[in-house]
Amino acid sequence: MPAMLSLAGRKVLTLLLGLGGVAAFWLLGLPLPFLFGPMTACLVAALLRAPLTGPGRISVAARTVLGVAIGASVTPEVIQRLPSMLASVALVPVYIVAIGLVGVPFFRRICGFDPITAFYAAMPGGAADMTIFGQEAGANVRQLSLVHVTRLMVILVLVPFLLVHLYGVGLGNPVGPPATDLPLSELATMLAAAILGWKAAERAGLFGAAILGPLIVAAILSLAGFLHMRPPREALWAAQFFIGLGIGIGYAGVTLREFRDTVMGSAAFVLILAALAAIVTLTGIAPPVEGFLAFAPGGQAEMSMLAIIAGADLGFVVIHHLTRILLVILGAPLVARWLIRVPDERKPS
């Protein structure tokens, strides 16, 4: 029986479902088969109570590919353009505050969350970071994880649709050259950046170590002239596969009530955030496509991947998402402590 599968059996089943999703999307000519295929297949299987589980460290290791791809895009030309991005980067904290002012009341009144859970559900930081911070603050971890996995899923479906139909962007941009076209020295440099950056960031206790560590090392190598290309397309396809797999698996065990109260509410909130991101592009302070991707409330890894697929300015998009994540990670715990203290201070002595 499926319920009796061992851990290894569940991992194999999950991988086979993901590969089946890739094959189905590829044969049907549907967009982004390596991303949407495994996400859809695992989402459906999770809702049908299939015994799914993630592939563990392999999935984390795959995210190092994105870190290297992002870091390789940090070139001297991007650094020279930083002053021209200051106006749009300055909008990031305003955008975060606007999300909080809309999101916290939304999750409190519409979804019935407690104040701390509503706060961390609204914050557009990394999904894992917000869940961990929320757990430490006493939030409902199950609700938080469902909110953030829903945010990522809806954004990954909605953003490509809007890129094509609103901004007229094609999604057929090559994600990278084939591995056979890259010099062995370049591949070796990328591998070293991925492994050393990941492990050093883990040792330093850095959030998102699998992405941020390789990103920092690859950026240094790129600026120093040792790294000149992004990872090969096969590696980026693998990164897409594991991102899609992880989002689909996130719905394992979801109940009908959770789907109605948490998932649907979260999906509605993401539509509001996407509208805010689209409004930012109307200010004219950034190119429309880059501005939309820079302010779309997806994860750094997911938005970077979409920027690559859409052929957008990856450096511009990454700088804005790194600013957002840094501000949220540093500021969210401080605001949450204030939220916890306020009710206590109102109690009669």
Side-chain angles (χ1 to χ4, degrees), residues 107 111 113 117 120-122 141-153 251 262-263 265-267 269-270:
F107 284 112
C111 299
F113 289 3
T117 303
Y120 278 109
V141 175
R142 177 64 175 174
Q143 287 177 332
L144 277 183
S145 61
L146 285 175
V147 164
H148 286 293
V149 78
T150 300
R151 172 170 62 88
L152 296 178
M153 185 196 70
Y251 287 97
T262 302
V263 174
S266 303
F269 178 62
V270 173

Side-chain angles (χ1 to χ4, degrees), residues 197-277:
W198 176 21
K199 294 305 176 182
E202 274 192 342
R203 184 177 291 273
L206 191 66
F207 276 108
I211 291 180
L212 291 182
L215 186 159
I216 294 168
V217 174
I220 293 171
L221 293 173
S222 174
L223 292 171
F226 295 107
L227 186 59
H228 311 90
M229 300 178 181
R230 286 204 297 258
R233 65 187 182 194
E234 295 86 356
L236 288 166
W237 283 342
Q240 290 182 55
F241 176 81
F242 286 108
I243 287 172
L245 206 69
I247 292 173
I249 293 169
Y251 287 97
V254 67
T255 65
L256 183 61
R257 181 174 180 178
E258 286 176 327
F259 187 84
R260 183 193 66 207
D261 296 343
T262 302
V263 174
M264 295 305 293
S266 303
F269 178 62
V270 173
L271 296 179
I272 297 172
L273 298 189
L276 286 175

Side-chain angles (χ1 to χ4, degrees), residues 63 66 70 123-129 148-156 159 211 243 247 270 273 293-307 314 317-318 320-322 324-325:
R63 298 177 83 85
L66 281 179
I70 297 167
M123 284 298 97
D129 305 339
H148 286 293
V149 78
T150 300
R151 172 170 62 88
L152 296 178
M153 185 196 70
V154 174
I155 281 294
L156 278 179
V159 168
I211 291 180
I243 287 172
I247 292 173
V270 173
L273 298 189
L293 286 170
F295 285 89
Q300 172 193 327
E302 292 78 14
M303 292 301 98
S304 299
M305 181 59 70
L306 288 177
L314 183 58
V317 173
V318 166
H320 287 74
H321 280 287
L322 285 176
R324 170 178 61 85
I325 289 171

Side-chain angles (χ1 to χ4, degrees), residues 81-236:
R81 288 171 43 229
L82 278 177
S84 67
M85 302 181 195
L86 291 180
S88 55
V89 170
L91 268 184
V92 173
V94 178
Y95 178 65
I96 293 170
V97 171
I99 288 175
L101 292 175
V102 172
V104 174
F106 179 92
F107 284 112
R108 287 282 288 142
R109 296 172 186 171
I110 304 299
C111 299
F113 289 3
D114 64 78
I116 295 300
T117 303
F119 173 74
Y120 278 109
M123 284 298 97
D129 305 339
M130 295 303 97
T131 302
I132 292 171
F133 284 168
Q135 183 178 26
E136 292 176 351
N140 186 313
V141 175
R142 177 64 175 174
Q143 287 177 332
L144 277 183
S145 61
L146 285 175
V147 164
H148 286 293
V149 78
T150 300
R151 172 170 62 88
L152 296 178
M153 185 196 70
V154 174
I155 281 294
L156 278 179
V157 173
L158 183 63
V159 168
F161 177 85
L162 292 178
L163 286 174
V164 172
H165 297 284
L166 182 61
Y167 295 100
V169 174
L171 300 178
N173 188 63
V175 295
T180 52
D181 288 356
L182 291 177
L184 286 178
S185 59
E186 197 82 5
L187 290 172
T189 302
M190 292 177 191
L191 182 62
I195 295 175
L196 294 176
W198 176 21
K199 294 305 176 182
E202 274 192 342
R203 184 177 291 273
L206 191 66
F207 276 108
I211 291 180
L212 291 182
L215 186 159
I216 294 168
V217 174
I220 293 171
L221 293 173
S222 174
L223 292 171
F226 295 107
L227 186 59
H228 311 90
M229 300 178 181
R230 286 204 297 258
R233 65 187 182 194
E234 295 86 356
L236 288 166

